[in-house]
Amino acid sequence: MQTELTLKRNKKKFVWFNLFNNIILIIMAFLCLYPFLYILALSFSSGIAISRGSVSIIPIDATFVNFKVILSNPMFIRSLVNSVILTVVGVVWTTSMTVIMAYPMSKQLKGGKVVSTMVLLTMLFSAGMIPNYIWINTLKLTNTFFAIWLPSTVNVFNLLLVRAFFREMPKELEDAARIDGCTGFQMFLKIVLPLSMPVIITIALFALVGYWNEFGGSLIYLRSADVMTLPVRLNALINDGMVGGVGILSPEEMVFFSKEGAKAAAIIISALPMVLIYPFVQKYFAKGIMIGSIK
Amino acid sequence: MDKSMKKKKSKVIDLPLAKKRGIKRTELYLYLMLIPGIIFFILFRYVPMYGIVMAFQDFQIGLGFADSPWVGLDNFARIMQDPYFWNAMKNTMILNLLVFFFGMPVPILFALLLNEVAGPKFKKAIQTIVYLPHFVNWVVYAGIVIMMLSPSTGIVNFIIKTFGGDPVAFMENSKWWRVVYVGADVLKGFGWASIIYYAAIVSVDQEMYEAAKIDGASRAQRMRYLTLPSIAPTINIMLILQIGKIVTIGFDQVWTMSNNMVLDVSEVISTYIYRRTLGPQAGLFPQFGYMAAVGLFQSLLALVLVLISDRISKKIGQKGII
Amino acid sequence: MKKTISLICIIVLVLTMSITFLVGCKSSDYDFTVMVYDRGEGFDYEDNITTQWINNNGPATIKWVPIQRTDFVGQLNAYLAAKDYPDVIHTYDRTHAMSLVSTGLFEDITDLFKEHCEETYRTAIDDSGLFDYDELIRNYCSVDGKQYIVPAIRPSVAQNGIYIRQDWLDKLDLDMPTTVEEFYDVCLAFSQNNLDGLPAGTKVYGYDFAYAGLSVLYNMFNVRPYPESMDMNVDEEGNVIVDILGQNFKDMITLGKAMIENGIANPEYITDKDGVAASTAFNTGRMGTSPSLWHSARFVTAMSIQADTYGVNPEVVGVPALKYNGKIMPYFQTEPVSTNILIAKKAKNKDKIMQWLNWMLLGEDNTSGGWFTLANGFEGDNFIYKNIDGEKTVEKIPLGTIPAPPAWYGAAYKLDLDYTKTGMWKFVDTYPAEYRPYTQKIDEYGDYLATLHYAHNVWQPIREAADFEANFTLEYQQILAKVLKDSTYSVDKAMQDLQTKWNEMNGNYYVGLYSAQYKSRAN
């Protein structure tokens, strides 16, 4: 039994600890957030302010010219559109294919072990960057979106996640449906799918983030300007300094323009979609990972 | 066990043919559903493995597999002698180790601290914020980091200058680059990685905590005997996975953060291969065959390591992943 | 509800996939494909005045295929690997062109060229008085007697030169520098005085290493940095000289290092790959000299803005080639064939291609070809003809009614499919007579011509050396950047490290291969 004194002492420790705890958490959160605020400030700042290095968190000599240059660059816009196409189609494709494959794998089927092994082996060994490249080339898929969609059809981790979820589904549901006369694919569509919405949405969101942020593969396979996606275009802009379209600025606006500002603006535009979406979907992610981790 | 269960299920009338093969008509649709997936795996995971023969050729794009000259194990002999390869291998392992040592504790620590927070709103807010860096890609994040560290316009050097120091070109300095790399990796990923640990922590029955509190266990004791063991299995699995992956490193982060000035520490195997075949240093005669050999060497090494670590893990009583 | 969602998803999937298919298999109502550089710029390759004009007025309909300019060799490799490359390709680097020829994917156009182009080319080239047609074709366009390359020539005075603010020199009462040392002093003075009166604290530079800056520097000291570049100096016996291990390179990096240490040049030049930041600085009074392409006067309009904003009187002139160790170091000029155009074997309408190239490059009377419109725009809108000294000359109308194609290479420009752009650009390049000196007829600058260093780019790339060249170049670039920017890394140490690396990697052997090649060809 604790005396009043120890209770009080514990309470005091409690308060101190909590404060300390929260401060550290706040610092960590700040470190995550600040870089983005900084870039945001840069993107709205004038060239001279930037060159003096005096931008810290708010824009100085605020201006829109950086965004004007980036947003009126048709190549940049096209890459944005390409990313959207890549992502939308890719998400539908990957999600549906993963779910379709996971379902039978969750049942005890003849030859199921073979399929599982085949799938798991790919986690241990892969052909490699160059053989894959040659193969995609041979299939004449280079410079098409299929070079990204097809090799990403099924992600093993997601597959296992969905399979685990299906396995968890109570057998009684299916038995009941069968008694009602519903069998086979109908049962899958009408009963199983609607109930698996949480996990489906989860892997769809994984796919969403994956496709939108896809860089390495796009760098190798999507080189033509008509299929180039946002990350590749952004990379060319940041690392190779390919900032074009400065000519649309009027001379007065030119004074405010700077390459750093343009880079910052491009970064903001590229990051914006994900930044806007993720707070609303984080609960799905958390749930999905928890399911997966338990498995 | 399976067979008896299967027998129980066969209440429906089976097609004679299907019965012969042991496939029930009702289950036919399941096999059909498997087919696209199987095709995918074969077509895009197994078939490309054929390309591994390139490692034994002096592969030239114009000639293809059929006409490129064979060099047997020459490429592999060359690997042994190639200082650039070993440098890349060294860098790969060093970066992986650094990220592991500094990156592993942070999400755990974060999860632990987060767990101690009382207010749900505050907790949610913090969580939301720390997930942010995970959702942007490395092109964006590396771009941000590079701009923040710019010697002339970056905020970090601005602060240094204000305190009277000289600006440091972090991204171009071999000594600092690794620090920046690890720091960026940790900052970008810790929030996300903490999810798993946090899930494990909260999966522990709250009643146990209460009971422990009543029994007089201090906060530290509660942490040691309740919290940590709950995340031990997760840590264990992570460990196994990491050991296997020590010779592999993702392309995106390294590529977007590296530049020509720090190649001695930033060149890793994936960028080493890319740079000389499809990248800037591909030159007039890209070395496809040799690089395929490098890739193969790396994959085999990774495979061996995973198998070893899995066996070790099983030997010391923990569950493996195979 | 869920069913409708999945139905919608399927419809979206099918729709987008079919759209992508359709977009991919665009109608093939063009005769052949032509490469154009993708510089990430703000315009559409298909939908602009110039490309449409070319398609409407030329002898063929073409489709443009943009390929990224940065890391161009690697990008093109990927296209070649996919066997999906444009029918007409061009490259500025002759060694690259030679290696492309060696892939066997490009056509031997000896006969085609004779049939469609020889007559007009011969006249144009001989008329220019600069080169001999047969020699040109033999030395620069052919391999073993077979012609592969359609030449495009750029007889400007020099590829890279230095522009300087004469008014700043006047303000500081300095003479035009004639030696390298004087140039350094002038740059230093520029960087220490805010001569345009910009807001206090604005950093003013004297010189910049971005884009052409380093290559001008190389030239100043007669350094040909093999293996970074395939242009090598050769001694009397035909042996390749390794400049980067020599005294001239040492002097060059000493100067460069001093420039950065004393605030004359911007240390962050590496990220300014296309020199936009540098030229912006020059245009806005934040830099005193501009090492740049000498055949374009991009700064003119920008300078007039500078004049209005700050009330200064900018006067930009070219710096005559400087002396190093008492000898004039001529500015660098690419070899006579500055653009190497190759035609793919797989191309379908080769006759049409030749005709089209002929039209683009030369036109009927050398004034109405595709290039002319690209360089000057449309009569009445962007320029008018004037009679100066009995000769019909082109006078530009500033800010014409239709935005004109930017005249990157001016009157001397013959062909650069690179710059087939308009529609989005304001007319920023005017060519008033005063700024033409460096793009004007060569006759007036005979002295310069005599001392021009035409690139010794007659090398066949050697496969065996490829690995060494790739690896050593990376090391070299690292050392170079370090010695310029890192104050703790001394010039002597850098030279030592270079020598060590060179020996380690057996550089002399590979250089010997090239020497052997040169000697065997010198006959």
Side-chain angles (χ1 to χ4, degrees), chain C residues 111-148:
Chain C
D111 297 322
L112 275 170
F113 194 79
K114 277 209 176 78
E115 186 187 330
H116 296 279
C117 308
E118 171 165 351
E119 210 182 303
T120 31
Y121 268 77
R122 190 180 278 276
T123 326
I125 292 177
D126 286 344
D127 271 357
S128 75
L130 293 170
F131 317 105
D132 175 72
Y133 172 82
D134 293 303
E135 232 183 78
L136 192 87
I137 299 292
R138 188 179 54 237
N139 288 341
Y140 291 99
C141 307
S142 316
V143 180
D144 296 331
K146 299 199 201 124
Q147 182 181 355
Y148 290 93

Side-chain angles (χ1 to χ4, degrees), chain B residues 39-165:
Chain B
I39 294 182
F40 158 72
F41 274 95
I42 295 181
L43 203 56
F44 287 99
R45 292 280 181 268
Y46 285 97
V47 170
M49 289 190 188
Y50 174 76
I52 291 178
V53 299
M54 279 170 66
F56 303 96
Q57 291 179 315
D58 175 15
F59 187 83
Q60 287 161 53
I61 291 253
L63 301 174
F65 291 116
D67 300 320
S68 291
W70 293 89
V71 295
L73 292 175
D74 278 3
N75 284 334
F76 292 92
R78 202 170 135 196
I79 291 180
M80 294 303 149
Q81 312 224 333
D82 184 349
Y84 291 98
F85 169 74
W86 290 108
N87 187 47
M89 175 68 85
K90 179 188 86 169
N91 286 335
T92 310
M93 293 171 69
I94 290 183
L95 286 178
N96 273 333
L97 281 171
L98 286 175
V99 165
F100 180 70
F101 276 121
F102 290 99
M104 180 78 131
V106 177
I108 299 178
L109 186 72
F110 179 76
L112 291 172
L113 291 180
L114 195 69
N115 184 44
E116 301 288 337
V117 168
K121 277 211 176 130
F122 180 66
K123 193 184 276 192
K124 183 89 193 294
I126 295 280
Q127 273 180 313
T128 311
I129 295 180
V130 299
Y131 293 159
L132 171 61
H134 170 83
F135 283 90
V136 296
N137 61 40
W138 270 110
V139 184
V140 166
Y141 205 68
I144 294 180
V145 168
I146 291 175
M147 293 187 78
M148 280 181 72
L149 296 175
S150 155
S152 57
T153 62
I155 183 71
V156 175
N157 276 308
F158 182 67
I159 295 177
I160 293 179
K161 272 189 267 190
T162 326
F163 283 107

Side-chain angles (χ1 to χ4, degrees), chain A residues 43-245:
Chain A
S43 62
F44 283 107
S45 300
S46 79
I48 299 199
I50 295 179
S51 67
R52 262 193 248 125
S54 45
V55 179
S56 59
I57 198 159
I58 45 167
I60 300 187
D61 297 336
T63 169
F64 281 104
V65 297
N66 297 317
F67 286 96
K68 190 168 171 188
V69 167
I70 300 291
L71 287 174
S72 40
N73 184 333
M75 292 294 120
F76 195 83
I77 301 297
R78 192 183 293 194
S79 67
L80 226 159
V81 170
N82 286 339
S83 271
V84 171
I85 297 179
L86 184 78
T87 307
V88 167
V89 175
V91 166
V92 177
W93 172 249
T94 300
T95 313
S96 39
M97 295 302 287
T98 308
V99 169
I100 288 179
M101 190 177 190
Y103 184 64
M105 282 179 76
S106 68
K107 308 281 179 209
Q108 319 284 40
L109 285 182
K110 216 179 184 152
K113 230 357 182 4
V114 175
V115 176
S116 294
T117 328
M118 176 188 79
V119 166
L120 288 173
L121 272 182
T122 64
M123 274 172 55
L124 293 175
F125 188 81
S126 78
M129 187 197 294
I130 303 295
N132 272 322
Y133 178 74
I134 300 294
W135 175 239
I136 299 281
N137 244 345
T138 315
L139 292 176
K140 296 225 176 296
L141 296 179
T142 331
N143 276 331
T144 65
F145 290 127
F146 293 97
I148 305 289
W149 289 328
L150 293 181
S152 326
T153 310
V154 176
N155 171 293
V156 179
F157 280 112
N158 291 347
L159 185 72
L160 297 179
L161 193 71
V162 182
R163 181 180 78 164
F165 186 87
F166 282 144
R167 281 195 176 149
E168 285 291 291
M169 290 194 70
K171 288 266 160 34
E172 295 81 42
L173 264 155
E174 296 201 2
D175 292 341
R178 202 167 290 144
I179 292 175
D180 282 346
C182 177
T183 55
F185 201 61
Q186 287 277 34
M187 176 170 65
F188 175 67
L189 272 182
K190 288 210 170 110
I191 312 284
V192 177
L193 270 193
L195 287 175
S196 350
M197 267 312 163
V199 81
I200 292 182
I201 293 185
T202 304
I203 62 168
L205 291 174
F206 280 142
L208 178 78
V209 176
Y211 276 111
W212 184 262
N213 287 335
E214 219 291 321
F215 176 60
S218 324
L219 187 66
I220 298 179
Y221 295 113
L222 302 180
R223 294 189 163 191
S224 157
D226 349 312
V227 287
M228 198 181 283
T229 53
L230 195 58
V232 183
R233 186 55 81 179
L234 184 67
N235 179 56
L237 207 156
I238 294 182
N239 285 332
D240 301 331
M242 275 174 45
V243 180

Side-chain angles (χ1 to χ4, degrees), chain C residues 188-305:
Chain C
L188 184 63
F190 284 165
S191 68
Q192 289 170 336
N193 293 286
N194 185 351
L195 289 167
D196 266 4
L198 299 173
T202 313
K203 179 83 189 97
V204 177
Y205 291 107
Y207 189 77
D208 200 282
F209 295 148
Y211 200 40
L214 264 184
S215 65
V216 167
L217 217 58
Y218 279 128
N219 226 71
M220 247 191 245
F221 292 89
N222 193 20
V223 172
R224 312 291 155 209
Y226 173 81
E228 189 185 53
S229 112
M230 290 300 285
D231 178 20
M232 301 173 236
N233 276 334
V234 176
D235 68 13
E236 308 85 37
E237 288 149 39
N239 291 319
V240 171
I241 306 177
V242 185
D243 284 312
I244 56 173
L245 299 174
Q247 181 65 37
N248 47 354
F249 183 68
K250 190 170 178 190
D251 290 340
M252 174 190 141
I253 55 179
T254 314
L255 182 91
K257 195 181 180 63
M259 275 190 169
I260 290 195
E261 265 173 15
N262 295 318
I264 301 174
N266 189 344
E268 292 189 41
Y269 65 92
I270 290 185
T271 47
D272 188 15
K273 288 209 180 121
D274 57 356
V276 165
S279 57
T280 314
F282 183 67
N283 292 342
T284 51
R286 288 185 271 140
M287 194 151 79
T289 66
S290 173
S292 56
L293 302 178
W294 241 27
H295 39 256
S296 78
R298 305 188 198 186
F299 45 78
V300 178
T301 315
M303 279 296 160
S304 66
I305 299 167

